[in-house]
Amino acid sequence: MGSPMGGRQGSGFAAGLCTRFVRAPLAARLLAPFLALLLAAPGLANAADAQITSLVDSPDPVVAGAVIEYTARVDNNAVDAALNVRLRLTVPAGATFVSATPPGGASCAAQSATVVQCTLGTLPALGAGPVDVVLRWRALGPGPTTVTATAEVLSDNDANAGNNSQAQTTTVNNGANLSLAKTDSPDPVVGGSNVTYTLTVSNAGPNDAGSLRLVDTLPPSTSFVSAAGAGWTCGHSGGVVTCTRPGPHALGAGIPAVSVVAQVNAAGGTITNSATVSPGTTGGIADPDSADNTATANTSVLPGADIRIAQKTVTSALPAIADSNVTFVIQPRNGGPAAATDVSVSDTLPAGWTFVSASGTGWTCGNAANTVTCTRATYAAGATNDITVVATAPNNAAVGPTGTTYANTATVTATSTDPNAGNNSGSVNVNVLPDGADLRLTKSKTPDPVAQGSALTSTVTVTNNGPRTATGPLRVLEQLTGETFVSGTGTGWTCGAVGALVTCNHANAGGLAINAALPALTIVTTATAAGAASNQACTGSSTPGAGTASPPAEGDPNPTNDCVTVASNSTTTRPDLGISKATSTPTGGDKVVGTSESSVTYTLVVTNSSAAGTEPATGITIDDTVPGWINGRSSITTPVSVVMSGGATATFGCVVTSSTGRVLCTQSGGTLTGGQTATVTLVANRPLQDGTFTNTATVFNTAEGDPNAANNSASDTVTIAPIADVEMTGKTATPASVRAGEESTYVLSFRNNGPSTAAAVTVSDTFTFAPGDAGLTVLSIASSKAGSTCSIAAGALLTPAATNFSCTIGTLANGETQSITLIVRPNWQAGNAVRSFGNLARVNTTSVENPAGGDNGNNERTATLAVQPALVDLLVNKTDRVGAINLDPVPFTNGATFLAYQVAVTNNGPSFATGVTIT
């Protein structure tokens, strides 16, 4: 009994015990002699009083499918012996008889499906021989339900039928009888290979099962490989595999199996694997019978030796040099668990290679037709005897000017059983380069196009690809076309020209190491003719058609990478393009974007500085990347147009790259002649990163050469004041409908959309209650933001008199997301009616959120919690403490002693119960 009140869902129930002591008169203990005198009178002889003194059920509550044990005590309270005493236990529904344990000389037998009777014989007078009988019945379920048992005593000379029976009601909770079956495959298994254990869980009810927990302890001679099953989550630690699966699992329905794979490390014998299923620690339904929860599999193990090529490497220098010796190391291994027999390692050398030698501790090696074979009679598990093979690489002619890569594979075999043939080979690739020092030339040339009569700059780099260090003086020859030599510079370089042939020499005193490069060589020329101004530069053994090469002393075996030709278009039209850039803001026209300003304007002016009306430009490109840009958020007002000065016919198309803020305006037609201008206005809109930025815009010409590159770029600065945007991204109540007394979890999620850091962030949460509502009890509150604090704590009440709380968060960086988790329990309300609570969460910051004012309309979220009537399930069990020794704290002069009764109270939920009383 008791009042239903708010509470926790009944996965955990509340229970209490109460023990009461009742005084009984001392005279009762002195009554026996007087009863003897009275019963000696005529008509009262041969009277007995067989009675049920107690009937105890255990356990109570019981799990559906489990056994209830009833202990009945039978006694004779009269002066004559009770004759032909029988105990009858009746369970009319909900259970089935299992067994009975009567005292010596007695017997029990089922009289029907619902009645069991025990023959107890004669009971001595005046309580001299009480008898305890234990009867076991299995609760059939499904739960929740109750089972009521009635014990009755019969005797041929019973003079008092009023104390001949007692009843006991047992609560039956949900129960699901889990069982486990296990198979192993293969069986027998070869040592060193994998064995798969298949674990299948079944539910025999009577209720649906909840979550499951499966524990498989692998045999010591195995190593974990994997564990998986549909819907199962598995993990492994120290040879123990643990898998869990959420419920429900219907009675009799198939449950997906779990496959556990382990590698067998034994060389023979038998391995034993044992696994157990049990209800999950959270959400599990009690199992009434654990006798069938464990399954075992014995697997026979055959000897096996996992031979393999662990690795094949080259220990000599790489890349290898043509016609030189190369050393290979082969690592045959036996992973066991047994020793391998008649082991053979074979290695077929690539075509063109020449065998030199092969050896290894414990191995006998030889070569036939370029196949190296090494053998041994046995190879112990874990042995590490390597084999070394030496062979000569092909010559320069065979490997070619750019070299050749050769693949070499070694394979191991044995007559013993190999559990894994997939790892018996190992390969290595060997890159063989022609002998010498392979010089490689790279070259770049700017500008392109170039104005006729203007300078061209060629940058040349000479690199040694090896395989040997290049020694001796090195040379670069460059043949000019449509240009004249001006200078050649670079550390260690000396240059001169004879006509159109430029010769540059480097002493290379220290030698040029493999993959190293000489200092860059810069050659400056003047474009002298219209059209392609091209030149070819060569090094090593090659020349551009004239001059004398100076290859390294080691020779340059690869002429294919010695020469590079680069051309620039020399134009007779020579417009001198220049650019200027200016920054302004909507208010004041300064270079500071304040918190009340939502945009900034950049003005780019391109001018053809040539003489008025001359040098028409046709290939202008204007390039500017807006500073402070945020991918996907910042924007430029479109369309972006180019405004021409009077008389200019040039047309442009502008493209904005939204990911970077780059604006590229390309001339599509017309001309911009001397004295004319093209103006581009770019309006960049918030959000923008805060800070001070220097921005550079450039102009270049893809059709005509520009004689003056010094005025092709312009820079300006801008300062962007910070603006943040805090948003309440979510407000949820889970579950959204609960009974009074059950828990619900509120999650308040918020973030700063930036782009700047948000200062002094706070979160407030306000509940809406009907007048007089009992409100909510706070069970816990936590903020994910380190260092934040909240105005309430566990145990606080939210009621019509105290409807809100707040949390001080601090700063939030751009993009930072945090949350507050509030767990509450709706309190019991008089009348136990359906209710609902409204709720409004808000996030605030002292930072400016919008240049126009306001908070962007995203600072609040609402949620509603529906509250259903509370419901509790109180269970009372009462037993008398038979045989207990109860000491009277009051002296015996008052003529009394104590009887003890124990009362157990359990709340099976789902709501939390308060105001509970026991009568």
Side-chain angles (χ1 to χ4, degrees):
M1 62 186 68
S3 302
M5 187 62 181
R8 301 180 184 274
Q9 191 78 20
S11 60
F13 59 82
L17 294 176
C18 178
T19 303
R20 182 171 185 182
F21 299 90
V22 181
R23 288 177 178 159
L26 179 63
R29 296 177 292 168
L30 306 176
L31 185 61
F34 299 100
L35 287 174
L37 292 174
L38 289 173
L39 294 176
L44 296 179
N46 198 28
D49 183 14
Q51 58 181 299
I52 303 292
T53 60
S54 69
L55 178 62
V56 178
D57 59 341
S58 178
D60 186 2
V62 68
V63 175
V67 171
I68 313 168
E69 191 171 271
Y70 296 103
T71 302
R73 171 163 287 193
V74 181
D75 204 350
N76 176 18
N77 197 38
V79 295
D80 286 326
L83 305 177
N84 190 24
V85 178
R86 288 95 65 201
L87 171 67
R88 181 180 297 157
L89 186 71
T90 302
V91 184
T96 182
F97 176 66
V98 176
S99 66
T101 305
S107 63
C108 296
Q111 292 187 322
S112 69
T114 60
V115 178
V116 174
Q117 182 166 298
C118 299
T119 302
L120 305 180
T122 300
L123 294 183
L126 297 176
V131 174
D132 287 332
V133 182
V134 178
L135 300 103
R136 300 172 187 85
W137 293 68
R138 187 175 303 278
L140 299 179
T145 186
T146 59
V147 172
T148 300
T150 302
E152 180 184 9
V153 65
L154 305 172
S155 172
D156 290 351
N157 60 338
D158 192 347
N160 179 18
N163 57 5
N164 284 26
S165 67
Q166 283 195 30
Q168 185 65 262
T169 298
T170 307
T171 298
V172 181
N173 286 338
N174 292 351
N177 184 13
L178 303 176
S179 61
L180 179 65
K182 170 185 278 191
T183 60
D184 59 336
S185 179
D187 186 4
V189 63
V190 176
S193 63
N194 291 347
V195 59
T196 299
Y197 298 105
T198 301
L199 288 70
T200 305
V201 179
S202 301
N203 172 28
N207 289 95
D208 292 348
S211 62
L212 305 176
R213 184 172 187 264
L214 193 58
V215 177
D216 190 355
T217 302
L218 298 177
S221 297
T222 62
S223 300
F224 173 77
V225 176
S226 65
W232 292 87
T233 300
C234 296
H236 167 261
S237 177
V240 178
V241 178
T242 302
C243 299
T244 59
R245 195 175 197 273
H249 299 90
L251 168 63
I255 300 173
V258 173
S259 294
V260 178
V261 181
Q263 183 181 37
V264 178
N265 302 321
T270 300
I271 56 174
T272 301
N273 176 251
S274 178
T276 300
V277 65
S278 61
T281 54
T282 300
I285 300 298
D287 187 345
D289 181 10
S290 60
D292 53 0
N293 288 28
T294 299
T296 301
N298 294 318
T299 309
S300 299
V301 181
L302 301 177
D306 180 17
I307 55 172
R308 70 187 191 279
I309 300 297
Q311 191 176 27
K312 180 167 186 181
T313 59
V314 174
T315 58
S316 53
L318 288 176
I321 299 174
D323 210 24
S324 65
N325 285 349
V326 177
T327 301
F328 300 92
V329 174
I330 306 171
Q331 296 180 353
R333 296 291 184 264
N334 178 13
T341 56
D342 297 327
V343 182
S344 176
V345 175
S346 62
D347 184 1
T348 300
L349 299 176
W353 289 69
T354 303
F355 172 77
V356 177
S357 66
S359 62
T361 302
W363 296 95
T364 300
C365 298
N367 173 63
N370 235 25
T371 296
V372 180
T373 303
C374 297
T375 61
R376 63 191 305 154
T378 61
Y379 199 33
T384 58
N385 302 131
D386 295 343
I387 298 172
T388 300
V389 176
V390 180
T392 303
N395 57 27
N396 277 18
V399 302
T402 60
T404 300
T405 298
Y406 297 87
N408 180 234
T409 301
T411 301
V412 61
T413 59
T415 58
S416 51
T417 302
D418 186 352
N420 180 14
N423 57 5
N424 288 22
S425 296
S427 300
V428 65
N429 292 325
V430 185
N431 184 23
V432 181
L433 298 179
D435 197 1
D438 175 18
L439 298 186
R440 173 172 54 89
L441 184 142
T442 59
K443 178 181 178 180
S444 62
K445 187 175 185 179
T446 59
D448 182 23
V450 61
Q452 185 175 341
S454 298
L456 284 163
T457 300
S458 297
T459 302
V460 178
T461 302
V462 176
T463 303
N464 176 20
N465 288 346
R468 298 191 184 277
T469 298
T471 61
L474 301 180
R475 175 174 294 169
V476 170
L477 297 170
E478 180 161 81
Q479 184 70 48
L480 304 179
T481 303
E483 51 191 307
T484 58
F485 175 73
V486 175
S487 65
T489 58
T491 303
W493 289 97
T494 58
C495 296
V498 176
L501 180 64
V502 179
T503 302
C504 295
N505 295 310
H506 195 285
N508 188 31
L512 185 60
I514 301 170
N515 295 324
L518 292 174
L521 168 62
T522 301
I523 298 175
V524 178
T525 58
T526 300
T528 56
S534 66
N535 48 44
Q536 183 184 46
C538 295
T539 190
S541 301
S542 303
T543 64
T548 302
S550 178
E554 294 71 24
D556 184 350
N558 179 20
T560 63
N561 56 4
D562 288 353
C563 299
V564 177
T565 300
V566 181
S568 291
N569 181 32
S570 177
T571 65
T572 55
T573 302
R574 308 168 69 245
D576 178 13
L577 300 179
I579 190 171
S580 65
K581 179 171 186 177
T583 303
S584 63
T585 54
T587 57
D590 57 11
K591 300 181 187 300
V592 177
V593 185
T595 56
S596 63
E597 295 175 312
S598 60
S599 65
V600 58
T601 300
Y602 302 101
T603 303
L604 314 178
V605 180
V606 174
T607 303
N608 186 343
S609 300
S610 304
T614 65
E615 310 294 351
T618 62
I620 301 172
T621 296
I622 306 167
D623 192 354
D624 190 18
T625 299
V626 170
W629 190 265
I630 302 173
N631 182 16
R633 300 183 63 192
S634 303
S635 65
I636 290 176
T637 300
T638 56
V640 176
S641 58
V642 182
V643 178
M644 311 307 300
S645 63
T649 62
T651 57
F652 287 82
C654 297
V655 176
V656 178
T657 303
S658 59
S659 60
T660 61
R662 182 185 184 188
V663 180
L664 202 64
C665 296
T666 304
Q667 187 175 357
S668 57
T671 61
L672 186 74
T673 59
Q676 294 177 336
T677 63
T679 302
V680 183
T681 302
L682 304 179
V683 179
N685 305 299
R686 284 186 182 272
L688 297 165
Q689 295 179 14
D690 61 271
T692 298
F693 305 91
T694 297
N695 177 238
T696 299
T698 59
V699 63
F700 56 93
N701 194 338
T702 60
E704 296 87 24
D706 189 335
N708 178 21
N711 59 357
N712 288 167
S713 64
S715 301
D716 202 3
T717 61
V718 64
T719 299
I720 302 173
I723 285 183
D725 174 23
V726 293
E727 177 185 2
M728 183 64 67
T729 56
K731 174 70 188 287
T732 59
T734 306
S737 178
V738 296
R739 292 185 180 274
E742 292 183 319
E743 296 179 10
S744 183
T745 300
Y746 286 96
V747 177
L748 291 68
S749 301
F750 52 94
R751 72 181 174 209
N752 174 23
N753 297 321
S756 304
T757 298
V761 177
T762 59
V763 173
S764 61
D765 199 6
T766 302
F767 288 82
T768 302
F769 301 107
D773 195 281
L776 302 163
T777 296
V778 175
L779 302 181
S780 67
I781 185 169
S783 172
S784 62
K785 176 70 172 180
S788 56
T789 59
C790 295
S791 62
I792 58 172
L797 295 178
L798 292 168
T799 66
T803 60
N804 68 335
F805 69 91
S806 62
C807 295
T808 301
I809 304 302
T811 60
L812 283 180
N814 176 28
E816 182 178 357
T817 296
Q818 299 291 348
S819 63
I820 296 169
T821 302
L822 173 72
I823 302 178
V824 298
R825 183 178 64 225
N827 297 326
W828 180 74
Q829 177 80 20
N832 207 19
V834 176
R835 308 131 68 195
S836 67
F837 302 144
N839 180 248
L840 174 67
R842 179 173 177 81
V843 60
N844 293 294
T845 178
T846 58
S847 299
V848 174
E849 294 195 67
N850 191 303
D855 60 10
N856 301 312
N858 59 1
N859 288 34
E860 295 180 346
R861 286 288 184 117
T862 60
T864 299
L865 177 64
V867 181
Q868 306 301 321
L871 178 65
V872 298
D873 177 14
L874 297 181
L875 168 65
V876 176
N877 280 303
K878 178 178 178 181
T879 57
D880 53 344
R881 298 177 60 184
V882 177
I885 300 175
N886 303 303
L887 299 179
D888 189 350
V890 183
F892 271 97
T893 54
N894 69 358
T897 186
F898 278 89
L899 304 176
Y901 300 96
Q902 179 172 284
V903 180
V905 181
T906 302
N907 176 18
N908 286 331
S911 297
F912 185 80
T914 60
V916 178
T917 60
I918 303 171
T919 302

